[in-house]
Amino acid sequence: MSEKKIYKPKPVSGFPEWLPQIRRIEQHWFDHIRSVFESYGYCSIETPSVEELDVLAAKGEVDKEIYVIERLHKEDDDKEARLALHFDQTVPLARYVAQRFNDLDFPFKRYQMQRVWRGERPQAGRFREFYQCDIDVIAVDNLPLHFDAEVPSIMIEILQGLDVGAFQMQLSNRKILMGFLAGLGITDSVDVLRAIDKKDKIGGDDGVRKLLHSTTSLNDQQIEKIIGFTHIKTPDSSFVEHVRTLGVAHETLEQGLNELAFVMNNLQHIDAGLVVADLSIVRGLDYYTGTVYETRFLDDPNYGSICSGGRYEDLAGSYINKHLPGVGISIGFSRLFDYMRLKNKWNPVRKTPTDILVVLPSEDRRAHAAETARILRHRGFCVELYHADQKLAKQLGYAEKKGIPYVWFPPFDDGGAHEVKDMTNGAQNKVDPMTWNAS
RNA sequence: GCGGUCGUAGCUCAGCGGUAGAGCCCUCGGUUGUGGUCCGAGUUGUCGCGGGUUCAAAUCCCGUCGAUCGCCCCA
C-alpha cells in the first residue's frame, strides 16, 4: 500500500472559471454578442495570445502590468524574441492590420472576443485573465465620423439584449477637454486630467479643487472654470451652449464640440437616458484622440466601466507607414458577466445542454434505445442515452440532478409505445419520436 | 508595490487552551418499470504552512503563504 500524495489545488486569484451551468449562460452571452456584431457586418478575427514584447512596447514604455512568458528549460543565452500575453485587443489589431494591410479591405470592420491578461491585483470586477469583446473600424487616411456613432449604438443594443439593468454610456471628445485646457492657457494637462478623472473618488468638486491646488499652479479662476466644465452633461448636443457660456475659445475645442455634437445627433434613436454627453469623461491617458466612451451602472457607478473605447487618429503608425485612423469600443465581458452573476445570484437549473434523457430499460434493449436517441438527435434535440442498466429511480434522479427537462421511455417490450415525461410537472404521455415536440 | 480582514471535511461554517463538530453534498437502503419530499445507515480532515509559549495549541504569540476588500491602474 503506497501513500497517495494529493496536491490540494487552490483557486488562482484573478483567473475565474465557472461551473457548467454558469458557463452555459456565458456561452449564450457570447452567442448574443456575436450575432449583434455580425448583424452590422463586422467580421471576426482571432490573434495569438502572445505578441512580441517589442510590438506591445512599440508606442514607448509599457506602463501596464503585463505577463511575459518564457520556456522553463530555456538556455541562458537564448536569443529568441521575448513574448508577452496581450493586455488588450487594440494593439494586436494594429499589428494585424499593419502586417496584412495589402490583404484587407477598408474600412476594415472587425470584432474580436478573446481573453486578455493583466498582472494587476485582482478585486471586485477586476481580473488577471478576462474576456473583452471589441469592435473596431479602421480606415485609410479618413474615417467617417458616422462610425463614432455606430459603434456605441451596437454596444448599447447588446447591453439591452443582455438585460443587464440600468446603465448609461457617457461620451465625450478628447479635443473638447484638451482644447478647453489649452484655451485656459494650461499646457501641462496631466495632473488636471487625473484630478478630473478621480472626481468621484476624491469627494466631488471640493476634492478636485484641493487636488488641483496641491498638484498644479492654476489660479482660482482657472480651477472654477474647470469645475464648471466637468458639470456639463446633456442628453443631446446642447452641451455646446453650456461650454460657450464659460467663455473659453480655442480651435481644438471648437473642432471637438462639432464632432461630439455630430455624434450625439446621430444617437438620438437610442432610448432616452442610455447615452449622455458628459464632458468630465477622461478615459485614462491612453491613445485616444477624439470621441471617448465609458459605460457605468447607474446604481453602482463606482464599479468601473463595463464598456469603453474611443477614436484614435493613427492606430498602426508604430508598425506601418500609413495613416490609419480608427474608432473602437470594447465590452468588459468578464467584469459585466461577474457583476450580473453576483447581483442576480443566478441559480440555473440546467447543468447540461441535454434536452432529453433516453432511459435504458435494460441492457438487451440498448440498441433500440440508442436508435430512439438517434432519431431525436436528427430532429435537432440534444439527447443522451443513460449510461448504465440501473433502476429507473436512479435514471430519473440523474435527469433531475442535471436539470434535463424531458425523460424519454422507449418501449420496454417489442411493440410497446414510446412515452415522454416532462420533469417540470411530472406529466407523462404516449408519443411518437418522429413527431413529438417540446411544449 | 502599500494597507484592512480572513484561512477548520468537497461546500457553508461552528468550536477559540484539555481526545476534531454541524448542515449541505456524496454513496447505499426503505422489495417488483418512474425523480424532487421524508426516514435510516455510511464515507470524507497534515484545523493553510513553519516556528515559539505550555503538562497540553484548531484555540495564545511570531513569521510565512494564500484568499479577499481597498489604494495605484484599468475592462
Side-chain angles (χ1 to χ4, degrees):
Chain A
M1 287 253 271
S2 62
E3 260 183 54
K4 193 167 73 170
K5 280 272 193 287
I6 290 180
Y7 174 78
K8 199 171 175 182
K10 304 176 195 97
V12 182
S13 179
F15 290 76
E17 65 182 11
W18 312 126
L19 289 169
Q21 54 269 41
I22 300 297
R23 171 63 179 161
R24 269 176 61 79
I25 298 173
E26 190 176 53
Q27 283 181 306
H28 288 144
W29 279 42
F30 280 127
D31 290 345
H32 169 73
I33 294 170
R34 176 181 303 115
S35 73
V36 176
F37 284 165
E38 294 193 348
S39 77
Y40 282 82
Y42 287 67
C43 63
S44 170
I45 68 166
E46 183 157 277
T47 64
S49 302
V50 295
E51 294 288 342
E52 286 183 13
L53 207 46
D54 288 342
V55 168
L56 296 180
K59 287 197 166 68
E61 81 288 4
V62 179
D63 54 350
K64 293 197 163 66
E65 288 277 358
I66 64 177
Y67 283 107
V68 172
I69 69 167
E70 61 180 30
R71 289 184 299 126
L72 186 58
H73 297 296
K74 68 165 189 174
E75 306 294 330
D76 289 341
D77 59 349
D78 236 323
K79 291 286 197 298
E80 55 183 18
R82 296 185 74 204
L83 300 176
L85 296 171
H86 60 233
F87 55 82
D88 71 4
Q89 293 177 135
T90 305
V91 172
L93 170 67
R95 191 227 78 222
Y96 182 96
V97 168
Q99 220 170 330
R100 297 161 196 284
F101 182 77
N102 265 341
D103 300 314
L104 298 175
D105 306 304
F106 296 89
F108 179 54
K109 301 160 69 172
R110 81 88 179 80
Y111 72 92
Q112 212 169 331
M113 308 196 289
Q114 290 183 235
R115 285 178 161 142
V116 304
W117 293 266
R118 290 181 198 175
E120 300 153 357
R121 267 280 205 294
Q123 48 195 260
R126 209 167 88 182
F127 307 96
R128 288 177 156 169
E129 175 179 74
F130 57 99
Y131 281 101
Q132 290 193 157
C133 302
D134 285 34
I135 43 172
D136 290 83
V137 186
I138 316 293
V140 183
D141 291 330
N142 181 38
L143 176 68
L145 202 54
H146 289 96
F147 285 117
D148 293 51
E150 177 171 286
V151 291
S153 299
I154 294 172
M155 292 314 204
I156 285 168
E157 183 175 332
I158 286 170
L159 293 174
Q160 286 183 295
L162 291 173
D163 196 20
V164 297
F167 66 90
Q168 184 174 66
M169 180 179 285
Q170 294 115 354
L171 292 87
S172 185
N173 189 304
R174 265 294 169 68
K175 290 170 189 168
I176 297 178
L177 182 52
M178 300 312 282
F180 185 80
L181 295 180
L184 280 173
I186 300 166
T187 48
D188 185 14
S189 57
V190 174
D191 288 327
V192 179
L193 295 182
R194 181 163 291 135
I196 295 172
D197 197 29
K198 297 209 291 191
K199 179 179 170 184
D200 288 337
K201 282 197 174 169
I202 57 179
D205 293 345
D206 284 339
V208 174
R209 278 190 193 97
K210 272 182 204 152
L211 192 57
L212 287 177
H213 272 125
S214 63
T215 59
T216 70
S217 53
L218 302 183
N219 62 42
D220 287 350
Q221 198 195 348
Q222 288 172 311
I223 289 177
E224 288 315 309
K225 293 259 189 193
I226 291 171
I227 299 281
F229 178 87
T230 63
H231 279 273
I232 297 174
K233 192 171 177 176
T234 67
D236 48 32
S237 57
S238 61
F239 64 90
V240 175
E241 306 312 317
H242 293 87
V243 175
R244 293 259 155 72
T245 62
L246 291 170
V248 176
H250 192 273
E251 192 185 334
T252 307
L253 170 62
E254 203 56 35
Q255 200 183 339
L257 290 173
N258 287 335
E259 289 182 8
L260 186 60
F262 178 90
V263 172
M264 290 307 292
N265 285 334
N266 277 278
L267 290 174
Q268 292 308 301
H269 64 281
I270 289 172
D271 292 348
L274 295 184
V275 291
V276 63
D278 182 340
L279 303 192
S280 67
I281 295 305
V282 175
R283 202 79 289 282
L285 307 167
D286 246 329
Y287 34 63
Y288 301 118
T289 54
T291 314
V292 288
Y293 315 97
E294 197 158 282
T295 310
R296 294 177 181 279
F297 290 116
L298 290 176
D299 52 0
D300 201 350
N302 286 326
Y303 184 65
S305 178
I306 51 165
C307 182
S308 37
R311 174 181 272 253
Y312 24 86
E313 212 35 64
D314 187 16
L315 177 72
S318 307
Y319 314 114
I320 190 174
N321 191 21
K322 298 275 182 190
H323 178 228
L324 303 175
V327 62
I329 188 163
S330 170
I331 293 180
F333 183 95
S334 300
R335 171 176 286 179
L336 177 62
F337 186 77
D338 197 43
Y339 184 83
M340 297 312 293
R341 184 180 68 89
L342 295 172
K343 185 181 175 189
N344 292 344
K345 297 186 173 62
W346 288 331
N347 192 17
V349 178
R350 294 182 65 165
K351 300 178 177 176
T352 150
T354 307
D355 302 310
I356 305 169
L357 176 72
V358 173
V359 155
L360 183 66
S362 62
E363 196 53 50
D364 57 349
R365 300 293 294 176
R366 182 183 285 275
H368 190 276
E371 177 58 21
T372 302
R374 268 193 294 277
I375 291 168
L376 292 167
R377 234 172 253 134
H378 282 142
R379 294 192 52 219
F381 297 106
C382 301
V383 184
E384 54 180 309
L385 173 61
Y386 194 73
H387 51 273
D389 183 5
Q390 289 179 326
K391 290 164 49 166
L392 288 180
K394 202 139 174 82
Q395 303 197 35
L396 270 295
Y398 175 83
E400 165 68 24
K401 272 191 305 185
K402 286 205 170 180
I404 298 170
Y406 295 97
V407 172
W408 193 283
F409 297 89
F412 282 54
D413 303 290
D414 288 336
H418 289 268
E419 291 182 23
V420 69
K421 185 184 187 77
D422 182 339
M423 294 297 279
T424 56
N425 58 19
Q428 186 166 333
N429 296 301
K430 289 194 166 81
V431 288
D432 180 349
M434 303 299 287
T435 58
W436 175 82
N437 273 309
S439 47

